[in-house]
Amino acid sequence: SRQGRIGEARLAAELASRLRPNDPDVNYLLGRLSLEQSLADAATRHFLKAARLAGEDPARPRAIAALYELGLTLESTARPVA
C-alpha cells in the first residue's frame, strides 16, 4: 500500500538523518514524508532545518524548495513559525 511505502521511506530517511543529521536534503525528504503522513509539526521542523542548513549556497537549491514547502505547510495549518 502507499502508506506502507511511505512508512518504509520514512524509516530509511530517519536512519539517514542519524548518519547525516546536518544534511539539508535528508531533512527536506523528512519534511516531505511528514506531510504525506499529515504530520505538519514534524514537516515544519524538518523544512526549517533544511532551509537553515542549506543557507544561501547556490549549489544547494534545496533551501528554496524547503522554504517554499515550509510556507505551504504553515499556510495550510494557519500557524506562525515559533
Side-chain angles (χ1 to χ4, degrees), residues 3-64:
Q3 284 301 321
R5 289 190 308 272
I6 291 170
E8 290 173 11
R10 185 174 183 82
L11 288 175
E14 287 173 354
L15 174 60
S17 178
R18 284 189 217 107
L19 298 172
R20 299 183 64 146
N22 294 324
D23 186 322
D25 294 330
V26 171
N27 281 281
Y28 176 81
L29 176 59
L30 282 167
R32 291 290 311 143
L33 292 168
S34 295
L35 279 183
E36 287 290 329
Q37 294 179 311
S38 300
L39 302 170
D41 289 341
T44 298
R45 284 193 310 276
H46 290 299
F47 289 141
L48 265 174
K49 187 172 181 181
R52 287 179 180 148
L53 291 170
E56 295 181 17
D57 182 353
R60 290 285 194 173
R62 188 66 69 207
I64 294 169

